[in-house]
Protein backbone atom coordinates (compact mmCIF):
# COMPACT_ATOMS: atom_id res chain seq x y z
CA UNK A 1 0.00 0.00 0.00
CA UNK A 2 2.79 2.44 0.91
CA UNK A 3 4.65 1.60 -2.29
CA UNK A 4 1.50 2.26 -4.32
CA UNK A 5 1.00 5.64 -2.64
CA UNK A 6 4.64 6.64 -3.26
CA UNK A 7 4.34 5.71 -6.95
CA UNK A 8 1.11 7.67 -7.37
CA UNK A 9 2.58 10.65 -5.53
CA UNK A 10 5.62 10.67 -7.82
CA UNK A 11 3.37 10.50 -10.87
CA UNK A 12 1.23 13.34 -9.49
CA UNK A 13 4.30 15.55 -9.04
CA UNK A 14 5.41 14.84 -12.61
CA UNK A 15 1.96 15.72 -13.94
CA UNK A 16 1.93 18.99 -11.99
CA UNK A 17 5.41 19.85 -13.30
CA UNK A 18 4.37 19.07 -16.88
CA UNK A 19 1.24 21.22 -16.58
CA UNK A 20 3.26 24.13 -15.19
CA UNK A 21 5.73 23.89 -18.08
CA UNK A 22 3.02 23.66 -20.75
CA UNK A 23 1.13 26.61 -19.26
CA UNK A 24 4.32 28.68 -19.04
CA UNK A 25 5.36 28.15 -22.65
CA UNK A 26 1.87 28.47 -24.12
CA UNK A 27 1.31 31.75 -22.29
CA UNK A 28 4.63 33.03 -23.63
CA UNK A 29 3.60 32.11 -27.17
CA UNK A 30 0.24 33.89 -26.82
CA UNK A 31 1.70 37.39 -26.62
CA UNK A 32 4.57 39.69 -25.74
CA UNK A 33 4.81 40.28 -21.98
CA UNK A 34 6.91 43.40 -22.53
CA UNK A 35 4.15 44.84 -24.70
CA UNK A 36 1.56 43.98 -22.04
CA UNK A 37 3.62 45.85 -19.43
CA UNK A 38 4.47 48.87 -21.58
CA UNK A 39 1.13 49.17 -23.34
CA UNK A 40 0.24 49.59 -26.98
CA UNK A 41 2.34 52.08 -28.93
CA UNK A 42 5.47 51.62 -26.81
CA UNK A 43 8.80 52.33 -28.49
CA UNK A 44 11.14 49.48 -29.31
CA UNK A 45 13.86 50.85 -27.06
CA UNK A 46 11.39 50.94 -24.14
CA UNK A 47 10.42 47.34 -24.84
CA UNK A 48 14.08 46.35 -24.88
CA UNK A 49 14.60 47.95 -21.44
CA UNK A 50 11.55 46.12 -20.04
CA UNK A 51 12.73 42.80 -21.46
CA UNK A 52 16.14 43.27 -19.85
CA UNK A 53 14.67 44.43 -16.52
CA UNK A 54 12.31 41.46 -16.22
CA UNK A 55 14.71 38.95 -17.74
CA UNK A 56 12.52 38.41 -20.79
CA UNK A 57 15.53 38.55 -23.11
CA UNK A 58 16.83 35.26 -21.71
CA UNK A 59 16.06 31.82 -23.26
CA UNK A 60 12.61 30.46 -22.40
CA UNK A 61 14.03 27.46 -20.56
CA UNK A 62 16.05 29.78 -18.31
CA UNK A 63 12.98 31.93 -17.71
CA UNK A 64 10.90 28.86 -16.81
CA UNK A 65 13.54 27.51 -14.43
CA UNK A 66 13.76 30.90 -12.70
CA UNK A 67 9.96 31.22 -12.47
CA UNK A 68 9.61 27.70 -11.09
CA UNK A 69 12.32 28.32 -8.49
CA UNK A 70 10.74 31.58 -7.39
CA UNK A 71 7.31 29.92 -7.23
CA UNK A 72 8.62 27.07 -5.07
CA UNK A 73 10.03 29.72 -2.72
CA UNK A 74 6.60 31.35 -2.49
CA UNK A 75 7.45 34.38 -4.62
CA UNK A 76 4.60 34.53 -7.14
CA UNK A 77 5.49 37.94 -8.53
CA UNK A 78 3.39 41.05 -9.10
CA UNK A 79 0.30 41.42 -11.25
CA UNK A 80 0.85 43.46 -14.40
CA UNK A 81 -2.71 44.78 -14.54
CA UNK A 82 -3.79 44.91 -10.88
CA UNK A 83 -0.39 46.19 -9.67
CA UNK A 84 -0.45 44.06 -6.54
CA UNK A 85 1.09 40.82 -5.34
CA UNK A 86 -0.23 37.74 -7.10
CA UNK A 87 -0.40 35.80 -3.83
CA UNK A 88 -2.70 38.43 -2.31
CA UNK A 89 -4.97 38.38 -5.36
CA UNK A 90 -5.24 34.61 -5.35
CA UNK A 91 -5.90 34.37 -1.61
CA UNK A 92 -8.62 37.02 -1.88
CA UNK A 93 -10.45 35.18 -4.68
CA UNK A 94 -9.87 31.58 -3.60
CA UNK A 95 -12.65 31.37 -0.93
CA UNK A 96 -15.35 32.21 -3.48
CA UNK A 97 -14.19 29.47 -5.85
CA UNK A 98 -13.93 26.91 -3.04
CA UNK A 99 -17.41 27.82 -1.79
CA UNK A 100 -18.86 27.49 -5.30
CA UNK A 101 -17.13 24.15 -5.80
CA UNK A 102 -18.50 22.64 -2.59
CA UNK A 103 -21.98 24.04 -3.21
CA UNK A 104 -22.01 22.57 -6.72
CA UNK A 105 -20.75 19.24 -5.39
CA UNK A 106 -23.47 19.20 -2.74
CA UNK A 107 -26.13 20.00 -5.33
CA UNK A 108 -24.84 17.24 -7.63
CA UNK A 109 -25.02 14.67 -4.83
CA UNK A 110 -28.42 15.96 -3.73
CA UNK A 111 -30.02 15.20 -7.10
CA UNK A 112 -27.90 12.22 -8.20
CA UNK A 113 -28.32 9.97 -5.14
CA UNK A 114 -32.17 9.92 -5.18
CA UNK A 115 -32.21 9.55 -8.98
CA UNK A 116 -29.66 6.73 -8.88
CA UNK A 117 -31.57 4.88 -6.17
CA UNK A 118 -34.92 5.26 -7.95
CA UNK A 119 -33.40 4.15 -11.26
CA UNK A 120 -31.96 1.03 -9.62
CA UNK A 121 -35.08 0.13 -7.64
CA UNK A 122 -37.34 0.58 -10.69
CA UNK A 123 -34.95 -0.77 -13.33
CA UNK A 124 -36.23 -0.80 -16.94
CA UNK A 125 -39.33 1.21 -16.05
CA UNK A 126 -40.29 4.74 -17.07
CA UNK A 127 -38.70 6.01 -13.83
CA UNK A 128 -35.39 4.45 -14.82
CA UNK A 129 -35.61 5.87 -18.33
CA UNK A 130 -36.53 9.32 -17.00
CA UNK A 131 -33.55 9.31 -14.62
CA UNK A 132 -31.22 8.25 -17.44
CA UNK A 133 -32.66 10.96 -19.70
CA UNK A 134 -31.99 13.60 -17.03
CA UNK A 135 -28.43 12.29 -16.77
CA UNK A 136 -27.90 12.35 -20.55
CA UNK A 137 -29.18 15.92 -20.81
CA UNK A 138 -26.93 17.03 -17.98
CA UNK A 139 -23.89 15.45 -19.58
CA UNK A 140 -24.63 16.67 -23.10
CA UNK A 141 -25.74 20.22 -22.31
CA UNK A 142 -22.75 22.59 -22.03
CA UNK A 143 -22.73 24.25 -18.62
CA UNK A 144 -22.31 27.74 -20.08
CA UNK A 145 -25.42 27.26 -22.24
CA UNK A 146 -27.38 25.89 -19.29
CA UNK A 147 -26.21 28.89 -17.27
CA UNK A 148 -27.57 31.27 -19.92
CA UNK A 149 -30.90 29.41 -19.87
CA UNK A 150 -31.09 29.86 -16.09
CA UNK A 151 -30.35 33.57 -16.48
CA UNK A 152 -33.09 33.96 -19.10
CA UNK A 153 -35.66 32.20 -16.90
CA UNK A 154 -34.88 33.23 -13.33
CA UNK A 155 -33.24 36.63 -13.80
CA UNK A 156 -34.72 38.19 -16.92
CA UNK A 157 -38.19 36.61 -17.12
CA UNK A 158 -39.13 35.86 -13.51
CA UNK A 159 -36.73 38.34 -11.87
CA UNK A 160 -36.24 36.03 -8.88
CA UNK A 161 -32.46 35.91 -8.76
CA UNK A 162 -29.64 38.41 -9.38
CA UNK A 163 -27.80 37.85 -12.63
CA UNK A 164 -24.27 38.66 -11.45
CA UNK A 165 -22.11 39.35 -8.44
CA UNK A 166 -21.33 37.46 -5.24
CA UNK A 167 -22.62 39.74 -2.49
CA UNK A 168 -25.34 37.44 -1.09
CA UNK A 169 -26.23 33.74 -1.05
CA UNK A 170 -28.80 34.40 -3.79
CA UNK A 171 -25.96 35.12 -6.20
CA UNK A 172 -24.69 31.55 -5.78
CA UNK A 173 -27.93 29.71 -6.60
CA UNK A 174 -27.74 29.73 -10.40
CA UNK A 175 -23.95 29.17 -10.58
CA UNK A 176 -24.33 26.23 -8.20
CA UNK A 177 -27.08 24.65 -10.31
CA UNK A 178 -25.27 25.26 -13.61
CA UNK A 179 -21.99 23.83 -12.37
CA UNK A 180 -23.41 20.99 -10.27
CA UNK A 181 -25.84 19.67 -12.87
CA UNK A 182 -22.96 18.99 -15.26
CA UNK A 183 -21.22 16.52 -12.90
CA UNK A 184 -24.36 14.98 -11.40
CA UNK A 185 -24.80 12.35 -14.19
CA UNK A 186 -21.50 10.66 -13.32
CA UNK A 187 -22.64 10.20 -9.72
CA UNK A 188 -26.11 9.08 -10.78
CA UNK A 189 -24.84 6.37 -13.14
CA UNK A 190 -22.34 5.11 -10.57
CA UNK A 191 -24.98 4.91 -7.82
CA UNK A 192 -27.45 3.22 -10.17
CA UNK A 193 -24.92 0.58 -11.20
CA UNK A 194 -23.82 0.01 -7.60
CA UNK A 195 -27.38 -0.25 -6.32
CA UNK A 196 -28.37 -2.75 -9.04
CA UNK A 197 -25.41 -4.93 -8.08
CA UNK A 198 -26.02 -4.66 -4.34
CA UNK A 199 -29.77 -5.27 -4.58
CA UNK A 200 -29.08 -8.62 -6.18
CA UNK A 201 -26.70 -9.71 -3.40
CA UNK A 202 -27.52 -12.59 -1.08
CA UNK A 203 -27.65 -10.52 2.10
CA UNK A 204 -30.25 -8.19 0.54
CA UNK A 205 -32.43 -11.18 -0.38
CA UNK A 206 -32.00 -12.46 3.17
CA UNK A 207 -33.04 -9.11 4.62
CA UNK A 208 -36.15 -9.10 2.44
CA UNK A 209 -36.93 -12.69 3.40
CA UNK A 210 -36.84 -11.68 7.07
CA UNK A 211 -39.60 -9.18 6.35
CA UNK A 212 -37.63 -5.97 6.76
CA UNK A 213 -39.38 -2.88 5.32
CA UNK A 214 -38.42 -2.10 1.73
CA UNK A 215 -37.21 1.38 2.65
CA UNK A 216 -34.91 0.02 5.35
CA UNK A 217 -33.49 -2.58 2.97
CA UNK A 218 -32.80 -0.01 0.27
CA UNK A 219 -31.48 2.90 2.30
CA UNK A 220 -29.87 1.25 5.31
CA UNK A 221 -28.39 -1.90 3.80
CA UNK A 222 -28.09 -1.41 0.03
CA UNK A 223 -27.32 2.30 -0.30
CA UNK A 224 -24.67 2.23 2.42
CA UNK A 225 -22.61 -0.22 0.37
CA UNK A 226 -23.44 1.15 -3.08
CA UNK A 227 -22.34 4.67 -2.15
CA UNK A 228 -18.77 3.63 -1.22
CA UNK A 229 -17.30 4.15 -4.76
CA UNK A 230 -18.88 7.61 -4.82
CA UNK A 231 -16.44 8.71 -2.12
CA UNK A 232 -13.50 8.19 -4.47
CA UNK A 233 -15.29 9.88 -7.38
CA UNK A 234 -16.16 12.88 -5.21
CA UNK A 235 -12.53 13.96 -4.94
CA UNK A 236 -12.02 13.88 -8.71
CA UNK A 237 -15.27 15.72 -9.39
CA UNK A 238 -14.43 18.40 -6.84
CA UNK A 239 -11.17 19.06 -8.66
CA UNK A 240 -13.07 19.25 -11.93
CA UNK A 241 -15.55 21.69 -10.41
CA UNK A 242 -12.82 23.99 -9.12
CA UNK A 243 -11.08 24.00 -12.49
CA UNK A 244 -14.30 24.24 -14.47
CA UNK A 245 -15.57 27.23 -12.54
CA UNK A 246 -13.78 29.64 -14.90
CA UNK A 247 -16.65 29.80 -17.41
CA UNK A 248 -19.44 29.85 -14.79
CA UNK A 249 -17.75 32.53 -12.69
CA UNK A 250 -17.23 34.64 -15.80
CA UNK A 251 -20.88 34.36 -16.86
CA UNK A 252 -22.19 35.30 -13.41
CA UNK A 253 -19.30 37.68 -12.57
CA UNK A 254 -18.54 35.84 -9.34
CA UNK A 255 -15.48 37.34 -7.70
CA UNK A 256 -13.44 34.12 -7.62
CA UNK A 257 -10.39 32.54 -9.21
CA UNK A 258 -12.30 31.69 -12.39
CA UNK A 259 -13.30 35.30 -13.02
CA UNK A 260 -9.79 36.42 -12.11
CA UNK A 261 -8.44 33.97 -14.70
CA UNK A 262 -10.74 35.48 -17.33
CA UNK A 263 -9.57 38.99 -16.46
CA UNK A 264 -5.94 37.87 -16.56
CA UNK A 265 -6.40 36.44 -20.05
CA UNK A 266 -8.17 39.59 -21.22
CA UNK A 267 -5.45 41.94 -19.95
CA UNK A 268 -2.54 39.54 -20.67
CA UNK A 269 -1.66 39.43 -17.00
CA UNK A 270 0.77 36.52 -17.35
CA UNK A 271 2.01 36.26 -13.74
CA UNK A 272 -1.53 35.88 -12.41
CA UNK A 273 -2.59 33.46 -15.12
CA UNK A 274 0.44 31.22 -14.58
CA UNK A 275 -0.20 30.87 -10.86
CA UNK A 276 -3.92 30.21 -11.33
CA UNK A 277 -3.22 27.46 -13.87
CA UNK A 278 -0.57 25.95 -11.61
CA UNK A 279 -2.76 26.14 -8.50
CA UNK A 280 -5.82 24.58 -10.13
CA UNK A 281 -3.76 21.84 -11.76
CA UNK A 282 -2.03 20.99 -8.48
CA UNK A 283 -5.36 20.89 -6.64
CA UNK A 284 -6.84 18.62 -9.31
CA UNK A 285 -3.80 16.33 -9.24
CA UNK A 286 -3.87 16.11 -5.43
CA UNK A 287 -7.59 15.35 -5.37
CA UNK A 288 -7.09 12.69 -8.05
CA UNK A 289 -4.31 11.24 -5.90
CA UNK A 290 -6.67 11.19 -2.93
CA UNK A 291 -9.22 9.36 -5.08
CA UNK A 292 -6.63 6.78 -6.12
CA UNK A 293 -5.61 6.23 -2.51
CA UNK A 294 -9.27 5.79 -1.53
CA UNK A 295 -9.73 3.24 -4.31
CA UNK A 296 -6.58 1.44 -3.20
CA UNK A 297 -7.80 1.34 0.37
CA UNK A 298 -11.14 -0.09 -0.72
CA UNK A 299 -9.59 -2.62 -3.12
CA UNK A 300 -7.81 -5.37 -1.18
CA UNK A 301 -5.84 -6.46 -4.25
CA UNK A 302 -4.10 -3.06 -4.42
CA UNK A 303 -3.73 -2.94 -0.64
CA UNK A 304 -1.80 -6.21 -0.61
CA UNK A 305 0.35 -5.08 -3.52
Amino acid sequence: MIGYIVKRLGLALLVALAVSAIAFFLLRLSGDIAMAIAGEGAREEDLAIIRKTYGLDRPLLVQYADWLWQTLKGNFGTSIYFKTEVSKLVLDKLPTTILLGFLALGFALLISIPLGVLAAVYTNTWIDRLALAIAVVGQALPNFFFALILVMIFSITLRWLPVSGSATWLHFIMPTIALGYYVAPAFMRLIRAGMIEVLSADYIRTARAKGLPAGKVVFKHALRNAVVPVVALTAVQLGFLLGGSVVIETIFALDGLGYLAYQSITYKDFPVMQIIVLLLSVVYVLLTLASDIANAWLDPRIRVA
Side-chain angles (χ1 to χ4, degrees), residues 31 78 91-92 103 124 157 172 198 207 216 236 257 263 284 292 299:
T78 303
L91 290 176
D92 286 344
L103 287 174
N124 297 325
T157 304
F172 285 88
V198 171
K216 189 173 183 180
V236 177
L257 276 185
Q263 292 175 307
Y284 184 81
D292 290 339
D299 192 336

Side-chain angles (χ1 to χ4, degrees), residues 13 27-28 56 62-63 84 92 99 101 132 149 156 159 176 187-188 212 229 233-234 264 267 269 276 278 284 300 303:
L13 291 175
L27 287 172
R28 290 300 186 279
L56 301 176
V62 176
Q63 293 183 46
T84 186
D92 286 344
L99 176 60
L132 290 175
I149 293 176
I156 297 177
R159 299 183 182 275
T176 296
F187 288 116
M188 196 280 287
L212 291 179
L233 180 63
T234 298
S264 302
Y267 301 115
D269 198 339
I276 291 177
L278 178 61
Y284 184 81
R303 195 184 310 176

